[in-house]
Amino acid sequence: MLKNLAIVGYGKMGRFDRAPRARGGLAIGLKLDIDTNVNQQGITAENFRGVDVAMEFSMPHVAVANLERLCAIGVPTVVGTTGWYGELERVRLSSTGAAPAWCIARTIRSV
């Protein structure tokens, strides 16, 4: 089954979509970068309608705010950004038990 993916942070890591083999079973429907996600304005329920999962590849200084917004709109998220783990509990609390907190915690334990 094809999954609709959003990429939040379209830098070096976020550009994995240029490798066709890496995309098996994924359709990239949304890409947010430094210009399209100023102050998390690109992370809206409308923009993420139909998205199955987000991949967060931003910078540590904006990752927490991105994750809080993704949790707020209920988007399951895989986090590729490092250097923000000191704020993990803050992000967990912002999720109010939604799926993104579990995804974030699971990703960290797997690293």
Side-chain angles (χ1 to χ4, degrees):
M1 177 161 70
L2 193 64
K3 295 287 184 185
N4 194 19
L5 175 70
I7 299 173
V8 180
Y10 196 61
K12 290 179 186 176
M13 288 299 296
R15 294 178 197 257
F16 81 94
D17 66 316
R18 292 185 178 173
R21 293 174 198 244
R23 297 188 328 199
L26 299 175
I28 299 169
L30 178 65
K31 297 175 191 172
L32 296 177
D33 62 18
I34 195 168
D35 297 319
T36 58
N37 194 38
V38 176
N39 296 320
Q40 293 70 48
Q41 292 177 352
I43 302 175
T44 65
E46 182 178 341
N47 284 347
F48 279 79
R49 187 173 293 122
V51 168
D52 296 305
V53 65
M55 296 185 75
E56 208 286 342
F57 288 119
S58 68
M59 301 294 287
H61 66 280
V62 295
V64 172
N66 285 342
L67 294 169
E68 286 176 326
R69 286 288 306 137
L70 289 161
C71 287
I73 63 172
V75 178
T77 303
V78 176
V79 185
T81 304
T82 60
W84 64 274
Y85 304 139
E87 299 293 326
L88 177 60
E89 192 60 26
R90 175 178 149 189
V91 174
R92 280 190 180 143
L93 291 173
S94 75
S95 74
T96 63
W102 181 87
C103 292
I104 292 165
R106 184 71 177 154
T107 301
I108 290 171
R109 280 195 292 268
S110 299
V111 173

